[in-house]
Amino acid sequence: MHITTTDFRVFNVYMFIKWLTIVVIRTFFMKVTVINEERLPLYGPVILVGNHNNQFIDAATLIYAVPRQISFLMAAKSLARRMIGSLARLAGCIPVHRQEDLKYAGIGKITWEDNSTTIRGVDTHFTMDVGVGDKLFFIDEKIGVENVTSDTELTLQRPISRPCKDKKNGEEFVILPKVDLSDTYDAVSTALRFGNSIAIFPEGGSHDRTNLLPLKPGVVLMAIYSLLDGAEDVVILPVGLAYGDSHGLQSNATVYYGTGITISKRDVEEFQVDRHTVVNRILGIIEKGLSSCMITAPNKDIKGWIDLCGSLYPPERSMVPTNKAFELRKILARIFWDHGEDHKTKELIKKLASYKQMLKNSFLHDDEVWLLRQSLHSATLLFVEQGIMFFCYCFLALSFFPLWFPMYIISKILAEQHRQKALKASVVKLEGADVVASYKILVLMGITPLFNLGYGLLLGLYFGRNPKDIALIVIGSMVVLPLLYYINLRYFNELPMLLRQLHIFPLILMGKINVWRENERELITTRTELQLLVREFIHEVGPKVCDNFMDDLNAIMPKVMIDADTSRLKRSKSQWVPIFAKNYYSENGEEIL
């Protein structure tokens, strides 16, 4: 392989981009967990395909997690943006011209008859506006143009699925022009032929849905065309990207590698015989593989119930690794997909909703309910410990709060405006939450140096005695302040958790008077009952999903562990109090939760 000076430049720039990405990801996320990293081929041509729920953060997460240089396929529209486009071009991203980015309104209006492929125009200029291969764009569908007969008549590849709203005056229409992607395919083929890795988000644009959008066939065509150009067997590797909070600072992220899909010479031979069938078959395999890397759900509410069931199913206080928790939620998602409308599922959701409201009223998370079982002595020690930590964290978190908080507010306001704009311009976004995090980061990357420069000048003018001192103070501020912001942010996001845990001590203290403790007793009892109910529901409904459901479940959470904990929960309180404690509590009449 011949390596040119350009290749070295792109590699060096990519290393800078990777370093910058590491800074951004470690600042934005508390933890990034990579699952099944052994499935990533370290050599040879690979196409990484991922879900696209967090705009530019998705690409940044892949750069952070993948120990290979990646060439991303990126919309030409995004490459035209000032900051992100400049970085992307330097990193060697491959531009893709999308029809949606080039759409334009047609002249005149159109009408059509039901189940007819013929479109008639009113004051239209089809011969100038529309060409064969273009598409007419409607809110819910895109249909290709088969033939242009005249300025007022054309033929579509298939009928429009809905009737014309105004057959007399016609409807306005939008045209998606045919795009030549030969340059894109050539760039991808060259990269794969040299054994490099490509990343693509086959859903197209980003979205905030809880399931996959229909995949575009470009990823299959790229793999096959690369093989035709001389590449070795190309591996398509599904990668699932999940976020605890897609636009909240210091949340968690998960990168899940699926099972690789090899596109072989045999697939190419079949493609040359029956292109449509082969593309659809491979695209179906990719979609299934990508879905297996994600926790999908019919909607956002169901996704929340899946997470809550995943928290209730394991034994209380058990330290479940992130990969096991992710696999558990994947399995539970299958139940809600297949049996989400069943009566038992709806009854369970009602009880989960009631419990969730109780948690909200108590200012607690589900995994913190066990703290209410503590004795007063243990709670006092924990309160003292957490109190000391809280004051220390306040010092570390709020010492430079006045400096970085204005930047955070500005980024939040601008990101909200961008979210509303993106939501209006999209037909697939539900709330537009997928663009918030990326825009916050872009804004912060732009305004943070300006603010630091201003702070440095103020400090320099106040403390500096000459221009040299002022310059040194400004440079020092530009270097040191971002590090201080990072430290502040790390500790600032720990404060809510500490406040919740400090909140528990007064609850236990007031519990010495029983009337004050009704809510806490009810919360503990409700959680215990829900644990039993969730396990019973999963064990009963799960086997209906597939024959090996219980085997998969037991591989994640051993049956013996769940059975033992279920027996413990079913026993009365007096049976699981330690023997030496039974006499003490029975003599003193003190209640044990």
Side-chain angles (χ1 to χ4, degrees), residues 45 469 544 577:
D469 291 343
K544 298 178 183 178
V577 172

Side-chain angles (χ1 to χ4, degrees), residues 505-550:
F505 175 73
L507 297 178
I508 296 177
L509 182 62
M510 290 186 295
K512 301 301 290 183
I513 305 174
N514 279 341
V515 69
W516 286 88
R517 207 169 183 180
E518 287 298 324
N519 291 336
E520 284 65 56
R521 182 192 292 112
E522 184 182 0
L523 188 59
I524 295 171
T525 304
T526 301
R527 190 183 195 280
T528 300
E529 292 173 350
L530 267 179
Q531 276 192 288
L532 294 172
L533 185 62
V534 166
R535 290 173 186 175
E536 180 184 351
F537 170 78
I538 292 172
H539 294 164
E540 180 180 346
V541 180
K544 298 178 183 178
V545 175
C546 61
D547 294 336
N548 60 343
F549 180 89
M550 292 306 299

Side-chain angles (χ1 to χ4, degrees), residues 436-536:
V436 174
S438 297
Y439 204 76
K440 278 183 181 177
I441 290 175
L442 291 177
V443 171
L444 289 172
M445 288 176 66
I447 66 175
T448 299
L450 297 178
F451 269 76
N452 290 345
L453 179 62
Y455 295 147
L457 287 173
L458 290 175
L459 291 172
L461 293 173
Y462 186 80
F463 292 105
R465 298 180 179 179
N466 53 61
K468 183 179 179 181
D469 291 343
I470 295 175
L472 289 175
I473 292 173
V474 170
I475 294 172
S477 299
M478 298 286 286
V479 174
V480 174
L481 284 178
L483 299 176
L484 297 177
Y485 298 158
Y486 175 78
I487 295 171
N488 267 209
L489 195 61
R490 280 286 183 176
Y491 287 102
F492 183 80
N493 285 279
E494 295 288 341
L495 295 181
M497 181 194 69
L498 290 174
L499 280 174
R500 288 196 305 272
Q501 295 186 1
L502 288 172
H503 170 67
I504 290 170
F505 175 73
L507 297 178
I508 296 177
L509 182 62
M510 290 186 295
K512 301 301 290 183
I513 305 174
N514 279 341
V515 69
W516 286 88
R517 207 169 183 180
E518 287 298 324
N519 291 336
E520 284 65 56
R521 182 192 292 112
E522 184 182 0
L523 188 59
I524 295 171
T525 304
T526 301
R527 190 183 195 280
T528 300
E529 292 173 350
L530 267 179
Q531 276 192 288
L532 294 172
L533 185 62
V534 166
R535 290 173 186 175
E536 180 184 351

Side-chain angles (χ1 to χ4, degrees), residues 415-426 429 435 439:
E416 174 60 21
Q417 294 175 355
H418 183 67
R419 182 194 69 81
Q420 295 177 4
K421 182 180 177 181
L423 184 60
K424 290 180 181 179
S426 174
K429 299 182 192 296
V435 304
Y439 204 76

Side-chain angles (χ1 to χ4, degrees), residues 83 166 227:
M83 181 180 295
D166 188 349
L227 288 168

Side-chain angles (χ1 to χ4, degrees), residues 107-284:
I107 299 174
K109 297 183 178 181
I110 59 173
T111 63
W112 64 90
E113 299 296 331
D114 296 349
N115 299 319
S116 174
T117 59
T118 301
I119 299 294
R120 303 193 184 280
V122 179
D123 298 328
T124 54
H125 298 282
F126 287 155
T127 55
M128 295 176 58
D129 275 356
V130 188
V132 175
D134 292 350
K135 294 181 180 180
L136 296 190
F137 177 72
F138 302 92
I139 293 178
D140 52 353
E141 61 183 332
K142 296 177 288 187
I143 305 177
V145 175
E146 182 75 28
N147 183 44
V148 179
T149 307
S150 66
D151 278 341
T152 57
E153 184 178 326
L154 60 80
T155 305
L156 299 179
Q157 294 176 349
R158 60 179 176 83
I160 300 174
S161 60
R162 64 174 178 83
C164 181
K165 296 178 181 178
D166 188 349
K167 292 186 178 181
K168 181 179 180 180
N169 299 315
E171 293 185 24
E172 295 180 349
F173 63 105
V174 175
I175 301 167
L176 302 179
K178 183 179 179 180
V179 176
D180 182 11
L181 295 175
S182 57
D183 290 342
T184 301
Y185 287 127
D186 289 343
V188 171
S189 296
T190 301
L192 294 177
R193 194 167 64 249
F194 287 140
N196 297 329
S197 54
I198 298 291
I200 182 174
F201 301 106
E203 295 173 279
S206 65
H207 63 93
D208 54 354
R209 294 174 179 266
T210 53
N211 56 350
L212 285 173
L213 295 177
L215 304 188
K216 300 183 184 298
V219 58
V220 180
L221 297 175
M222 289 173 186
I224 291 177
Y225 289 157
S226 299
L227 288 168
L228 288 171
D229 283 349
E232 298 295 329
D233 288 354
V234 176
V235 176
I236 298 177
L237 184 67
V239 184
L241 303 171
Y243 307 95
D245 184 351
S246 61
H247 55 86
L249 290 174
Q250 296 292 287
S251 63
N252 295 324
T254 303
V255 180
Y256 188 103
Y257 291 118
T259 303
I261 303 162
T262 302
I263 309 299
S264 63
K265 301 289 185 182
R266 182 177 179 181
D267 294 317
V268 175
E269 294 172 359
E270 294 178 359
F271 174 81
Q272 293 173 324
V273 175
D274 189 349
R275 170 175 175 163
H276 183 74
T277 302
V278 172
V279 169
N280 285 340
R281 174 175 61 81
I282 297 176
L283 198 63

